[in-house]
Amino acid sequence: MSAEHDSFEDLASAARVKLAEIAPRISDLKPKDRMAIPPQAMPAQDPDERRRNISEVALGYTLEQARVEAARCLDCKNKPCVDGCPVGIDIPGFVLSVAEGDLKKASEILKKDTLLPAVCGRVCPQETQCQATCTVGRSLKDPEKAVSIGRLERFVADWERGEGGIEVPEVKGSTGKTVAVVGSGPAGLVVAADLRREGHGVTIFEAFHKPGGVMMYGIPEFRLPKEIVAKEIDTLLGMGVEVKSNFVVGKTRKLMDLMEKDGFDAVFVGTGAGLPRFMNVEGENLVGVFSANEYLTRANLMRAYDKKRAHTPIYDSRKVAVLGGGNVAMDAARTAVRLGAEEVHIVYRRTEKEMPARVEEVAHAKEEGVVFHILENAKRFIGDAEGRVEAIECVRYELGEPDDSGRRRPVEIKGSEFIFDVDTVVVAIGNDSNPLLQQTTPGLACNKWGNIIVDENQKTSIDGVYAGGDIVLGAATVILAMGEGRKAAAAINAYLSRD
Amino acid sequence: MSNRILRKERLSENVYLIRVDAPLIAEERLPGQFVILSVDNDFGERIPLTIADADSAEGSITLIFQVVGKTTKLLSALDVGDSIASLLGPLGAPTHIEKVGHVVCVGGGIGVAPLRPIAEGMKKAGNRITAILGARNAELLILEKEMSEIADELIICTDDGSKGREALVTEPLRELCEREPKPDMAVAIGPPIMMKFCSETTRPYGVRTVVSLNTIMVDGTGMCGGCRVTVGEETKFVCVDGPEFDGHKVDFDNMMARLNSYRLREEADAHDCELDKEIERIKKNVSGT
């Protein structure tokens, strides 16, 4: 795979040449000229190299690459990309500013609609959102040739964090009202920022010892450097938001006590989808079988990859099977590679086409040597005399008729069972909502899956209590959580400003 | 929450008691609940410790711990005035305190610490309490005085006979079960192997036995599943479904194997050798009867 790997230098110099050619008339290019500009590949660390480190894999565009890529945007009339964005970013606006080299303007446009561009540029599933409908990709009959909006978003955000210098948003005079934000993931951070800007006092409560939610414990360093998340939190602190870590609402304090005893005027619940799903098959509690949450939390938040310094141990693995086909499965598999496993396998019961993971993550995993087993699933886990997992009994599948999700339903092929030797299994088949807060908050209405029920303004069944993100949606994405957070913040602001 | 250590006492060679400033936890906490703590926010490990006591007026909680690994070793090195980097709680479901009649409370080693508030609660609820405290030797026996104030009857066992009976806790437990009327309930807290054999001891007599499990945990809020145990046919999370379970249904062998998940990586310190010996002794004793 690494033979196909374009070096950073090659990509950068090609872009320099191209930009020199188009720069003089970059604002007046004809659509035909724009369509002819080659899509800019994302420079990445060499696969052989990165298998042994935890540094970010995607290195980010150079300025020249960014401007060339941005020049591919046709500024088409109907802007399908904006409709594809859950928070409705003015995508052509910021992209054309990049093409012109006005990064400050690009950054300002982005910041109007998104609080976390450095995060979303890295982890959003752009190929199913803004880039899915891009006119350029459609005209070229290849969605992978759409304008790389996500990479441009990341480029602008990284520029701002580096050269541009992050400006702490202005905060209105105090309203005297206070809001408790439960959970410091993407939804909570957006709510905190939006409400603080309006002059409300905001306190974020986080159960872990570090804020950032899934961006800290779940998404690995090599995909989302923790320094970026920490910077975003610093900006919030600079705005006067208070963060209380090691505080689990529902246990340390009941949700209603926050309002009734501590005087918060409103509460936002953004506790995420934190209850790992297991397969409920034989042998699942054997030693060496982990939820992806546990495996990734040990590696990321607890920094177990740093074997010399971290006190938290992580399992020594030679042959790892990761069950699942989402981003979390890719993260777990690629983490296992970096922790030194000799073989890492993804086992997924549908085909690659149905995998919910970002295309780039699947590609990166393959480049790093992760072996994909599609149309297979674990049936039971087999342990040795000491209760450690030593094999999986797998069964093969074929695709049948489409199911409720529109994806073709995998059907077990009878009698196709086989044994697959492993010493570690990571179960990455999704998360349900964590019931901890709901259990201790009578009157908070939930659906049968335990997700909090909200109205169109993210309001729950309790007055003054709003919710958003995965605790409402079920396991979804950072950007959808942010979108819900934004909506909730507007509703909370209206609620606090009434009479 | 400053998590400042207000008092520190060495209860035995490897066992410490600390009182920590934690007003919110002190206010909310009920018997049976635990905290998760870490001594270093950058590279520290998160470990669960049962809350031994709380003083809501002072805003403090009491933790009793045995030095068994890196984190407890580091915790034991903190002095009065130092703060614990992270302290989260109260976690887990509280003990179901009810009046059942006669409750036998069995505590092994450090397990007496979490047992004490449960015995106290059970006593206050109107139960008659027989306490059985066990340790390897007299020096390692903790909270004897406190338990004697709660219990109607107190039985001490040591492995070497340096105090009380030279016996394992399962011996007096069996005798109590053989007596009529049988105890209405037993609560056993201590090393997993002790809880296993206490459960095996009471099983033939049908005496309901509650155990409190102390498994590996990371977050303590249901998120990682590292603490999962097999209870009957079901998988339960100790952090949110427990820590207390029906001892007759817990798969202790699986639980003990899981506790040893990282053993290969951890230094085989003196304690581990002693634990191995203790396991052997108990096994030998039970299988011999």
Side-chain angles (χ1 to χ4, degrees), chain A residues 3-297:
Chain A
E4 294 169 24
H5 184 79
D6 292 313
S7 77
F8 178 80
E9 289 73 21
D10 292 347
L11 292 171
S13 87
R16 263 199 306 278
V17 172
K18 191 72 197 170
L19 183 66
E21 181 195 322
I22 60 173
R25 51 196 176 92
I26 202 159
S27 307
D28 311 309
L29 289 171
K30 299 269 177 304
K32 193 172 62 100
D33 303 329
R34 294 185 186 275
M35 300 275 289
I37 299 172
Q40 299 295 297
M42 178 61 120
Q45 275 198 76
D46 183 87
D48 292 335
E49 189 83 19
R50 71 189 193 228
R51 294 182 90 233
R52 293 189 294 267
N53 68 47
I54 57 138
S55 305
E56 190 168 19
V57 167
L59 300 170
Y61 279 157
T62 61
L63 173 62
E64 290 82 7
Q65 272 192 296
R67 291 190 63 193
V68 170
E69 180 66 24
R72 299 179 62 233
C73 173
L74 302 173
D75 194 20
C76 58
K77 232 184 227 139
N78 49 354
K79 309 179 197 314
C81 53
V82 180
D83 295 333
C85 174
V87 297
I89 293 173
D90 173 12
I91 292 167
F94 101 81
V95 169
L96 291 173
S97 302
V98 173
E100 286 160 14
D102 189 346
L103 302 182
K104 191 158 178 8
K105 189 172 160 203
S107 175
E108 281 163 9
I109 295 172
L110 270 177
K111 280 294 180 83
K112 262 192 274 173
D113 296 299
T114 172
L115 180 76
L116 306 168
V119 176
C120 293
R122 288 171 165 84
V123 306
C124 255
Q126 289 96 2
E127 65 264 13
T128 62
Q129 296 180 349
C130 53
Q131 293 173 199
T133 51
C134 171
T135 308
V136 175
R138 286 186 158 190
S139 308
L140 294 171
K141 302 206 166 36
D142 182 355
E144 286 190 33
K145 290 189 176 148
V147 176
S148 288
I149 299 164
R151 294 170 183 172
L152 292 171
E153 181 185 22
R154 167 186 165 161
F155 174 77
V156 174
D158 287 357
W159 170 84
E160 193 209 12
R161 206 176 56 254
E163 290 164 58
I166 293 180
E167 280 174 32
V168 175
E170 236 171 86
V171 172
K172 288 186 187 164
S174 170
T175 60
K177 300 280 165 83
T178 56
V179 183
V181 173
V182 186
S184 62
L189 295 190
V190 168
V191 171
D194 283 5
L195 289 173
R196 184 66 198 123
R197 256 194 289 242
E198 294 298 326
H200 307 302
V202 176
T203 304
I204 300 178
F205 295 96
E206 165 59 42
F208 269 127
H209 53 285
K210 279 181 187 159
V214 71
M215 299 180 287
M216 284 305 279
Y217 73 74
I219 305 175
E221 177 78 18
F222 57 81
R223 196 150 79 83
L224 177 62
K226 301 307 141 211
E227 178 241 328
I228 289 172
V229 184
K231 265 270 173 39
E232 302 290 356
I233 308 274
D234 281 349
T235 306
L236 286 181
L237 295 175
M239 292 167 70
V241 169
E242 201 185 331
V243 176
K244 282 198 175 167
S245 44
N246 292 310
F247 194 115
V248 56
V249 174
K251 287 285 186 185
T252 309
R253 207 83 167 134
K254 304 275 183 294
L255 186 137
M256 293 315 288
D257 285 347
L258 292 176
M259 298 212 281
E260 288 160 10
K261 290 187 186 167
D262 302 335
F264 285 100
D265 299 291
V267 177
F268 173 78
V269 180
T271 47
L275 189 76
R277 233 178 256 160
F278 285 95
M279 316 255 314
N280 296 317
V281 297
E282 184 189 324
E284 200 152 30
N285 295 341
L286 288 166
V287 176
V289 181
F290 302 92
S291 75
N293 280 357
E294 179 180 2
Y295 196 69
L296 290 172
T297 302

Side-chain angles (χ1 to χ4, degrees), chain A residues 252 284-285 291 293 311 434, chain B residues 43 46 89 221 223-224 228 230:
Chain A
T252 309
E284 200 152 30
N285 295 341
S291 75
N293 280 357
H311 302 174
N434 188 320
Chain B
F43 292 101
R46 295 164 64 97
T221 61
M223 208 202 74
C224 81
R228 64 195 194 280
T230 313

Side-chain angles (χ1 to χ4, degrees), chain A residues 206-210 217 245-248 251-254 257 261 273-276 278 280 284-291 293-294 297-298 301-304 306-316 386-388 431 434 436 439, chain B residues 1 3 24-25 27-28 33 39-46 70-71 74 85-94 216-226 228-230 234-235 237 240 254 257-258 260-266:
Chain A
E206 165 59 42
F208 269 127
H209 53 285
K210 279 181 187 159
Y217 73 74
S245 44
N246 292 310
F247 194 115
V248 56
K251 287 285 186 185
T252 309
R253 207 83 167 134
K254 304 275 183 294
D257 285 347
K261 290 187 186 167
L275 189 76
F278 285 95
N280 296 317
E284 200 152 30
N285 295 341
L286 288 166
V287 176
V289 181
F290 302 92
S291 75
N293 280 357
E294 179 180 2
T297 302
R298 283 177 182 275
L301 181 75
M302 308 312 291
R303 300 159 89 162
D306 194 339
K307 288 180 186 173
K308 285 212 176 72
R309 287 196 287 176
H311 302 174
T312 302
I314 194 148
Y315 212 59
D316 273 326
E386 285 172 11
R388 291 173 180 256
N431 277 283
N434 188 320
L436 201 142
Q439 279 169 358
Chain B
M1 281 192 289
N3 308 340
L24 288 176
I25 301 175
E27 188 182 328
E28 293 287 331
Q33 291 189 296
V39 292
D40 176 67
N41 278 341
D42 287 320
F43 292 101
E45 181 180 19
R46 295 164 64 97
K70 201 164 199 166
T71 302
L74 292 168
S86 286
L87 184 64
L88 173 73
L91 301 172
I216 291 174
M217 292 186 190
V218 183
D219 63 293
T221 61
M223 208 202 74
C224 81
R228 64 195 194 280
V229 287
T230 313
E234 288 176 287
T235 290
F237 285 11
V240 288
N254 175 240
R258 291 184 61 80
N260 283 329
S261 293
Y262 299 100
R263 188 123 168 253
L264 297 173
R265 284 207 36 179
E266 280 160 7

Side-chain angles (χ1 to χ4, degrees), chain B:
Chain B
M1 281 192 289
S2 77
N3 308 340
R4 209 156 43 83
I5 296 175
L6 305 172
R7 205 183 115 201
K8 180 182 174 184
E9 207 182 307
R10 192 174 193 165
L11 299 186
S12 74
E13 194 192 335
N14 272 325
V15 177
Y16 293 84
L17 174 151
I18 52 174
R19 202 148 75 195
V20 186
D21 180 43
L24 288 176
I25 301 175
E27 188 182 328
E28 293 287 331
R29 145 283 172 194
L30 291 166
Q33 291 189 296
F34 64 94
V35 291
I36 292 251
L37 64 80
S38 161
V39 292
D40 176 67
N41 278 341
D42 287 320
F43 292 101
E45 181 180 19
R46 295 164 64 97
I47 60 158
L49 285 179
T50 309
I51 303 168
D53 202 356
D55 182 338
S56 53
E58 187 189 51
S60 68
I61 59 169
T62 299
L63 303 174
I64 296 178
F65 62 94
Q66 185 168 16
V67 176
V68 287
K70 201 164 199 166
T71 302
T72 43
K73 177 91 193 151
L74 292 168
L75 185 62
S76 74
L78 297 181
D79 291 314
V80 170
D82 293 341
S83 287
I84 298 169
S86 286
L87 184 64
L88 173 73
L91 301 172
T95 307
H96 185 63
I97 303 277
E98 58 182 331
K99 186 175 174 185
V100 293
H102 180 203
V103 180
V104 183
C105 295
V106 191
I110 187 80
V112 183
L115 182 69
R116 197 208 56 80
I118 296 169
E120 187 181 54
M122 286 292 185
K123 176 73 185 174
K124 277 186 189 154
N127 294 293
R128 184 159 72 83
I129 307 290
T130 300
I132 306 172
L133 308 188
R136 286 201 303 277
N137 57 51
E139 207 269 317
L140 297 174
L141 211 53
I142 61 165
L143 302 179
E144 185 192 340
K145 182 171 158 284
E146 288 82 350
M147 288 301 287
S148 72
E149 285 162 9
I150 296 165
D152 298 279
E153 185 190 2
L154 181 73
I155 302 163
I156 305 279
C157 302
T158 52
D159 294 359
D160 64 356
S162 53
K163 183 144 196 184
R165 290 172 61 171
E166 184 180 334
L168 293 167
V169 291
T170 44
E171 258 183 56
L173 179 61
R174 182 180 306 102
E175 290 159 15
L176 286 165
C177 290
E178 279 164 353
R179 239 186 256 166
E180 282 299 333
K182 284 183 302 201
D184 298 287
M185 182 182 170
V187 181
I189 309 182
I193 194 78
M194 181 212 100
M195 293 192 280
K196 175 182 171 173
F197 285 108
C198 283
S199 301
E200 289 312 318
T201 302
T202 57
R203 189 193 300 275
Y205 304 95
V207 174
R208 181 157 69 94
T209 301
V210 171
V211 294
S212 178
L213 307 183
N214 192 346
T215 50
I216 291 174
M217 292 186 190
V218 183
D219 63 293
T221 61
M223 208 202 74
C224 81
C227 65
R228 64 195 194 280
V229 287
T230 313
V231 181
E233 296 292 297
E234 288 176 287
T235 290
K236 295 280 185 189
F237 285 11
V238 172
C239 67
V240 288
D241 300 321
E244 288 167 21
F245 295 98
D246 178 346
H248 295 155
K249 289 188 181 164
V250 171
D251 180 346
F252 282 102
D253 293 338
N254 175 240
M255 180 210 163
M256 287 186 278
R258 291 184 61 80
L259 268 173
N260 283 329
S261 293
Y262 299 100
R263 188 123 168 253
L264 297 173
R265 284 207 36 179
E266 280 160 7
E267 285 170 4
D269 56 5
H271 173 78
D272 273 336
C273 303
E274 283 164 17
L275 193 69
D276 284 347
K277 280 185 213 150
E278 192 171 321
I279 291 168
E280 271 177 32
R281 264 200 312 275
I282 293 176
K283 271 188 178 164
K284 209 179 291 167
N285 189 281
V286 170
S287 59
T289 55

